[in-house]
Amino acid sequence: LMQRDYRGVEHKARGPIVVVVDESGSMDGPRIETAKATALAMAWIARHQRRYCALVGFSDDDQGSWHIIPPGKSDQDALMGWLEHMYNGGTSPAVPLETLPSRWEQIGAPHGQTDIVLITDGLLHVPDSMRRSFNEWKSREKAKLFTLIIEHDSPGDLAGVSDRVWCLPNLSIEQDAIQEIVSI
C-alpha cells in the first residue's frame, strides 16, 4: 500500500515590523550594542519576509532617529548611520508612544498587523492620557507591542501599553524572549 504525505507552507501577509531602541546614556556599551544587533536582525527578517520595517532610536522627549526600510529597498549607508547613532541623554516615552503613532501616516507603513518591539533599560512613566491614546492607536492599527526591559524586575508603566513584556538581565540570543521576538 503506497502512501503520500503532502505538506505545504501557507504564506500569510504580515504587517510592518517597527523596532524602537532606547538610545539614552544608560544604554551605552553592551546594552546598546545588543539592542542595535537585535534591531538589525529584525530588519533582516523583515527584508526576507518582504515586510515594511522602521528602526527608531529615542531618548529625551521628542528626540528620535528614524530609518525606514520599505519592502525590496535597502540603503546600507543610512542603515549603518542609524546603527551607529546614540543620543546619550535621558529616557522619555514620547517617541515610542506619541511620536510613532502621530507620524504613522507620514512614515508610509501599510496598515494592520504591525509588530512593534521596544527595547529599553528604563522604567518609563507613562501618563494615563498617553497610555489611553497609544492603546487606542494600537487597536485601530491592529498593532502589538513587545517590550524588552533590560536589568529590571518590573515592567512598571510599560505593562499598561505592552501586549507582552519581558524583564531580562541582558539581551542574548539564549533568552527565550529574543527567540520569540525573532519569530514574529
Side-chain angles (χ1 to χ4, degrees):
L1 189 65
M2 294 184 67
Q3 294 183 8
R4 293 183 193 237
D5 185 17
Y6 292 99
R7 295 177 190 215
V9 176
E10 181 181 337
H11 295 282
K12 291 178 123 179
R14 293 183 174 166
I17 294 176
V18 179
V19 184
V20 186
V21 176
D22 180 351
E23 293 183 357
S24 65
S26 62
M27 288 286 289
D28 196 23
R31 290 180 189 166
I32 195 66
E33 292 164 2
T34 54
K36 293 277 183 135
T38 303
L40 182 60
M42 296 306 295
W44 183 87
I45 289 166
R47 179 178 178 202
H48 288 280
Q49 292 179 351
R50 300 189 192 290
R51 296 171 76 175
Y52 191 95
C53 183
L55 303 177
V56 182
F58 76 100
S59 185
D60 289 328
D61 297 322
D62 60 353
Q63 287 183 324
S65 62
W66 301 76
H67 180 62
I68 309 303
I69 311 167
K73 307 232 175 169
S74 179
D75 181 345
Q76 297 301 315
D77 290 336
L79 176 60
M80 288 305 296
W82 185 86
L83 290 168
E84 293 171 351
H85 186 271
M86 177 80 170
Y87 281 115
N88 222 7
T91 308
S92 166
V95 169
L97 304 182
E98 285 182 334
T99 307
L100 176 63
S102 69
R103 287 188 60 182
W104 195 247
E105 295 297 325
Q106 181 185 355
I107 291 170
H111 297 281
Q113 296 182 352
T114 301
D115 294 315
I116 305 167
V117 178
L118 172 61
I119 305 171
T120 184
D121 69 343
L123 290 178
L124 305 176
H125 170 67
V126 180
D128 288 340
S129 61
M130 185 185 288
R131 179 185 45 78
R132 278 192 302 276
S133 177
F134 182 76
N135 284 334
E136 288 169 5
W137 174 80
K138 271 194 341 178
S139 178
R140 279 193 313 275
E141 288 299 322
K142 297 180 182 149
K144 291 187 177 182
L145 176 62
F146 304 96
T147 303
L148 302 170
I149 301 174
I150 306 166
E151 293 188 20
H152 284 287
D153 295 334
S154 166
D157 289 352
L158 290 174
V161 293
S162 301
D163 294 279
R164 187 82 195 268
V165 180
W166 293 271
C167 296
L168 307 168
N170 57 44
L171 291 180
S172 120
I173 196 66
E174 291 85 26
Q175 299 281 351
D176 290 339
I178 299 298
Q179 293 179 20
E180 190 169 330
I181 290 296
V182 298
S183 72
I184 61 173

